[in-house]
Amino acid sequence: MHNGADPRDEHRMKMRGKILRRSASFNVAHAVDDLEPGTGAQSIQRALSLLGLVGLIAGERSSGASLSEVASISGRPKASVHRMLQALIAMGYVERLDEGGYRLGVQSQILGQLAQKSVDPLVTESESSLLRLAELSRDTTFLTVRTGSYSICARREEGFGEILNNALSVGDRHPLGIGAGSLAILSELSPAEVDAQFEANAQIFAERYPKVSVAALRDIIDQARIDGFVHNPGLFAQGSWAVGVPLRIRGSRPRAALSIASIADRVTGPRVERLVALLRREATTISEALSDHPNP
């Protein structure tokens, strides 16, 4: 094992990370496709999905999200997307930059500040643990939270090492089974529940993750039930290896996990045991802290 980063691993991780980021954006944009058409709820949720899409894209570049990109990812006509964005601009939730791109507006920022007052205690209690994990491992650490048959990256902290993992960012939404944290959550469910999640997402796996083998995911989940942790050997983002452990919160259904990701050299051999020990310690710390909350 060597301490230096293999440029080829980093390049593969970055390229595959870009594909996963696009899949995450697609998932946000198409979060309401299964709703019955013609309903008021669908119109509202489509507007909110576009709002989330603008936030994800604009968060990565100062020029904001372009109309063509939002329309392309959402799969909706430019004219329709433009009308919806204009409505969001009128309400202050989106603003258009001088360069022509779109980003979240002041009203969205205010809403975010208001949300901080009632943020999920799981997210707040995990902050210190993720910072410690990032500092001790010198790698990128994540909090993954389940929402229905999907998982969302709820928090991310960078270590001070030379490897930056860009395969998963805050707000990214993937079907359960994509990512070490997501697999760790599935390892806490019964086999019948796991089958139900894969069945619910069969179409999205086929369309957006064609190279992912559900059989391989099941093998990782089965092994995780034995080991108590997930070891993801670069299955989703080539060159991006990870370990993850479930967060076991008393009185709560399995819904969260902690993970650490880096290149293969840093997530293989004896180091895996050290990383898992760190993750388990912080998972216990978070679980104990949440036991004092009335609604963890």
Side-chain angles (χ1 to χ4, degrees), residues 224-247:
R225 291 193 178 108
I226 298 172
D227 298 335
F229 69 91
V230 161
H231 187 215
N232 172 23
L235 190 59
F236 313 111
Q238 188 179 15
S240 175
W241 289 47
V243 288
V245 302
L247 273 171

Side-chain angles (χ1 to χ4, degrees), residues 122-123 126 130 141-147 150-156 168-169 172-186 243-247 249 254-260:
L122 171 62
V123 177
S126 70
L130 286 176
T141 64
F142 306 92
L143 169 69
T144 300
V145 177
R146 177 186 178 185
T147 59
Y150 281 75
S151 64
I152 291 180
C153 177
R155 188 180 284 277
R156 161 194 171 118
L168 193 64
S169 295
D172 282 0
R173 181 179 187 265
H174 292 289
L176 281 172
I178 299 296
S182 186
L183 286 165
I185 294 172
L186 283 177
V243 288
V245 302
L247 273 171
I249 304 168
R255 71 181 187 101
L258 299 176
S259 59
I260 298 174

Side-chain angles (χ1 to χ4, degrees), residues 64-280:
S66 70
L67 174 61
S68 60
E69 187 170 15
V70 174
S72 174
I73 295 176
S74 66
R76 300 188 174 97
K78 266 189 179 182
S80 175
V81 172
H82 182 262
R83 286 195 300 271
M84 198 161 287
L85 288 174
Q86 289 302 117
L88 290 169
I89 289 173
M91 295 291 293
Y93 287 99
V94 170
E95 64 182 35
R96 189 171 187 184
L97 302 173
D98 293 337
E99 297 84 354
Y102 297 87
R103 69 179 181 188
L104 296 182
V106 174
Q107 192 63 45
S108 291
Q109 297 168 28
I110 293 173
L111 198 61
Q113 293 173 15
L114 292 174
Q116 290 296 319
K117 298 180 180 180
S118 58
V119 69
D120 189 334
L122 171 62
V123 177
T124 56
E125 292 293 350
S126 70
E127 180 177 8
S128 295
S129 288
L130 286 176
L131 286 170
R132 278 193 296 270
L133 287 170
E135 180 178 0
L136 293 172
S137 70
R138 298 179 63 81
D139 291 312
T140 311
T141 64
F142 306 92
L143 169 69
T144 300
V145 177
R146 177 186 178 185
T147 59
S149 61
Y150 281 75
S151 64
I152 291 180
C153 177
R155 188 180 284 277
R156 161 194 171 118
E157 295 295 341
E158 298 284 0
F160 294 103
E162 59 188 36
I163 307 300
L164 295 179
N165 189 294
N166 67 343
L168 193 64
S169 295
V170 172
D172 282 0
R173 181 179 187 265
H174 292 289
L176 281 172
I178 299 296
S182 186
L183 286 165
I185 294 172
L186 283 177
S187 72
E188 292 288 284
L189 303 181
S190 70
E193 288 176 304
V194 171
D195 290 342
Q197 301 311 310
F198 284 139
E199 183 177 350
N201 288 323
Q203 183 175 350
I204 197 71
F205 268 105
E207 292 178 356
R208 304 302 298 181
Y209 309 86
K211 295 184 179 180
V212 174
S213 165
V214 172
L217 299 183
R218 293 183 191 278
D219 288 342
I220 292 177
I221 293 168
D222 289 342
Q223 189 62 46
R225 291 193 178 108
I226 298 172
D227 298 335
F229 69 91
V230 161
H231 187 215
N232 172 23
L235 190 59
F236 313 111
Q238 188 179 15
S240 175
W241 289 47
V243 288
V245 302
L247 273 171
R248 299 184 175 98
I249 304 168
R250 187 175 57 192
S252 176
R253 295 276 297 158
R255 71 181 187 101
L258 299 176
S259 59
I260 298 174
S262 188
I263 60 173
D265 279 1
R266 296 184 60 78
V267 196
T268 51
R271 194 167 192 267
V272 170
E273 295 182 8
R274 295 197 293 272
L275 294 178
V276 170
L278 291 175
L279 287 166
R280 284 173 170 162

